[in-house]
Amino acid sequence: MCGIVGYTGKKEAYDILIKGLQRLEYRGYDSAGVALTNDSIIVHKCKGKVADLQRHIGDGDVSGHSGIGHTRWATHGEPNDENAHPHTSMSGELVLIHNGIIENYDSIKKELLARGYTFQSDTDTEVLVNLIEEIKRQEDISLSEAVRMALNEVIGAYAIVVMSKSEPNTLVAARKSSPLVIGIGAEGDFYVASDATPIVEYTKNVVYLEDGEIAEIKPGKELKLFTMANQKVTPYIQELEMHLEQLEKSGYEHFMLKEIFEQPRSIHDSMRGRLNVQQGLVHLGGVADYEQRMINAQRIIIVACGTSWHAGLVGEYLIEDLARIPVEVEYASEFRYRNPIISERDVVIAISQSGETADTLAALELAKSRGATILGVCNVVGSSIARTTHGGSYTHAGPEIGVASTKAFTSQVTVLTLLALMLGSKRGTIERSRYQRLLYGLEAIPEKVERALKTDKLVEEISAKFKDASNFLYLGRGYCFPVALEGALKLKEISYIHAEGYPAAEMKHGPIALIDEEMPVVVIATKGPSYEKVVSNIQEVKARKGVVIAIVTEGDEQVKEMADYTIEIPEVDEIFTPLVASVPLQLLSYHIAVMRGCNVDQPRNLAKSVTVE
């Protein structure tokens, strides 16, 4: 969850670190800090965001050609100055930044306390840096060797970067179950980060550390990689596909709004090269070698968390409808702990924007160990899920900086739609005429989403009427039920209004008790097989004086007469409704949050990439 950045080379490190932290701040913003090496190690850190750190430093000393920086999402210890990273060892010899959780930190801490160590923070990270110092002191070894020996005593997940006074221009980095990437500059300089966003400005050449790998990084020297067993590893250099302009707001007030409006492009890019309407073909190259296993699968299991779980629910509807293969959608955090029944004939699909979600990775490892075919749908090239799975598909949504996922959701749904269409065609479970009609319909979705975005001003006007609401209820049926769940989640995430999504028919099994004139009810009431049933549900709400905001198909007069507010979206085939209907719900949550004065891109207590369990 936390953001890590490091640099060593000929440039002044401070500006590189600060800019890197600003780009990583979506990973956590409880506190921030930097450490720089000159004749000594200088540490600046404080509670708050990167801007608070800059104010805290003021005119302080920020000189040095090597340094590390950190922006924190708190796990061990509350957000305060003492618990902010970087953490220094007791003697001041070492300084360390860390993303992850050291599970056995308490037993290590007790042993170090018995040896006379004292601690200034409540974090597991300070325990780790002192363990490395103790081993380095006892064994009289290099920093990299002390890190390797210490990590062999550690249980948990980590991405770390360590510096030492005695080796001032050396960075030692290591990872296990938390992402870390090293950028190789043209002038012998090196960059380290949790993801590629701080690196792309300086170099396109990167090395993604694998689990259990340690890197010794010295400016002007060859990058040294080795394993926990001290076996040398040859670095595999990849070229970044990311572009710097993707990381800027481009005139939008917030990244979230920019990303909502990027959806026509991101959906198109998720289909590009995969959908050929004229030839009637859907081709997903990343899963081509596993098509037959999916076609013959006894069951497909989708594992995901948060918004990706909602995309998985849409995927369940799509695959069962079009390909007639049984699908189960599991919360990854529960799947791994309930001793699930998995066989070699199962296909497990992991969905994750970052490709680093810790619970989803753990679920994949479990499924893999039991012989299942595992596939991934993620957005980040070179991510852990992409490297762990047998195959899969990238969504090509581009970097998503806003913590509340928008374009990643619709891109995931697009890829799952392509997958369902491909499987249905190969299995012969879709009539050819319907299949061809759906291909044309999918090709038109970017233009339909563009039209749905034109509801922005109307949605903003409606938002002004509900910005002070305490609760919202979202209702949908069929393909629109996951949309209701996602709409409620978006509102909760960024406006801090309590909201719940329900299947519309379940309303009378409990939630209807909450409905009165103070309860806004958002109903996805687009044309489809369940339309008349949803109309009945709206009538039930109105009979109890509920206020209805309805998402309807263009030209719908019946619901317009019943609802208090209507938002029209273009007509699409039922299976494509989530791609279009989610847009006004994203805009609704965005405008309400802005009007409430919430930090839209960095909502409290949340981080973009959940890399800890």
Side-chain angles (χ1 to χ4, degrees), residues 472-476 484-485 487-488 491 499-502 521-522 524 585 588:
F472 264 76
L473 188 63
Y474 287 70
L475 303 176
L485 292 175
L491 191 69
E500 296 295 337
Y502 271 90
V521 182
V522 179
I524 300 100
L585 301 186
L588 183 70

Side-chain angles (χ1 to χ4, degrees), residues 221-235:
K221 304 286 186 181
E222 182 181 346
L223 176 65
K224 290 184 179 179
L225 294 186
F226 51 96
T227 67
M228 298 280 284
N230 210 19
Q231 295 174 324
K232 185 179 178 181
V233 176
T234 301

Side-chain angles (χ1 to χ4, degrees), residues 287-297 423 426:
V287 300
D289 291 343
Y290 301 94
E291 280 184 10
Q292 205 57 45
R293 294 193 196 183
M294 284 190 287
I295 290 167
N296 296 327
L423 289 173
K426 301 272 185 180

Side-chain angles (χ1 to χ4, degrees), residues 95 134 353 583:
V95 64
E134 175 66 5
Q353 188 282 138
V583 172

Side-chain angles (χ1 to χ4, degrees), residues 89-129:
S89 62
M90 189 176 72
S91 72
E93 166 66 19
L94 305 182
V95 64
L96 180 147
I97 52 177
H98 169 219
N99 173 32
I101 294 176
I102 306 302
E103 295 176 10
N104 62 335
Y105 83 100
D106 192 49
S107 60
I108 297 172
K109 185 173 184 176
K110 288 174 181 175
E111 185 176 338
L112 291 170
L113 285 167
R115 296 185 185 189
Y117 280 81
T118 58
F119 295 86
Q120 307 303 312
S121 76
D122 302 316
T123 67
D124 52 342
T125 304
E126 191 183 6
V127 174
L128 179 57
V129 72

Side-chain angles (χ1 to χ4, degrees), residues 228-455:
M228 298 280 284
N230 210 19
Q231 295 174 324
K232 185 179 178 181
V233 176
T234 301
Y236 173 57
I237 300 173
Q238 300 184 50
E239 185 172 338
L240 287 176
E241 296 180 4
M242 188 182 298
H243 300 288
L244 184 60
E245 58 269 20
Q246 295 176 303
L247 307 178
E248 306 299 333
K249 290 182 184 176
S250 304
Y252 288 93
E253 186 178 356
H254 298 96
F255 279 110
M256 182 181 178
L257 187 62
K258 176 194 175 197
E259 288 154 7
I260 290 171
F261 275 83
E262 284 178 339
Q263 288 176 110
R265 175 62 181 272
S266 59
I267 291 171
H268 174 268
D269 287 348
S270 297
M271 294 190 290
R272 184 161 40 88
R274 296 166 170 172
L275 175 65
N276 188 320
V277 174
Q278 285 67 39
Q279 296 182 21
L281 293 176
V282 174
H283 178 71
L284 295 167
V287 300
D289 291 343
Y290 301 94
E291 280 184 10
Q292 205 57 45
R293 294 193 196 183
M294 284 190 287
I295 290 167
N296 296 327
Q298 67 178 5
R299 176 180 57 163
I300 291 174
I301 303 169
I302 296 175
V303 293
C305 301
T307 286
S308 296
W309 188 81
H310 296 156
L313 282 181
V314 179
E316 176 184 20
Y317 284 48
L318 287 162
I319 294 169
E320 290 193 344
D321 181 4
L322 301 178
R324 311 306 298 157
I325 301 172
V327 179
E328 295 178 14
V329 183
E330 299 270 3
Y331 283 112
S333 54
E334 290 295 316
F335 180 74
R336 60 177 299 210
Y337 289 114
R338 65 171 185 78
N339 194 22
I341 299 170
I342 306 169
S343 78
E344 294 180 359
R345 288 191 59 199
D346 289 330
V347 173
V348 177
I349 300 175
I351 308 175
S352 167
Q353 188 282 138
S354 67
E356 301 291 350
T357 310
D359 286 317
T360 306
L361 273 166
L364 279 183
E365 295 289 359
L366 173 64
K368 195 174 189 179
S369 70
R370 297 189 183 180
T373 299
I374 60 171
L375 304 173
V377 175
C378 60
N379 190 38
V380 180
V381 176
S383 59
S384 296
I385 285 177
R387 298 198 303 273
T388 300
T389 49
H390 294 117
S393 292
Y394 288 115
T395 55
H396 299 302
E400 189 179 62
I401 307 301
V403 167
S405 187
T406 53
K407 66 175 180 174
F409 171 74
T410 50
S411 296
Q412 289 167 350
V413 172
T414 300
V415 170
L416 292 168
T417 305
L418 290 167
L419 180 65
L421 285 164
M422 182 270 290
L423 289 173
S425 175
K426 301 272 185 180
R427 285 171 58 85
T429 50
I430 312 177
E431 291 183 6
R432 194 69 193 173
S433 58
R434 185 188 180 203
Y435 172 73
Q436 195 65 43
R437 186 173 69 252
L438 290 175
L439 294 191
Y440 277 106
L442 183 57
E443 186 181 48
I445 288 298
E447 184 270 330
K448 298 290 179 75
V449 170
E450 193 80 61
R451 285 165 54 190
L453 286 166
K454 293 179 180 178
T455 64

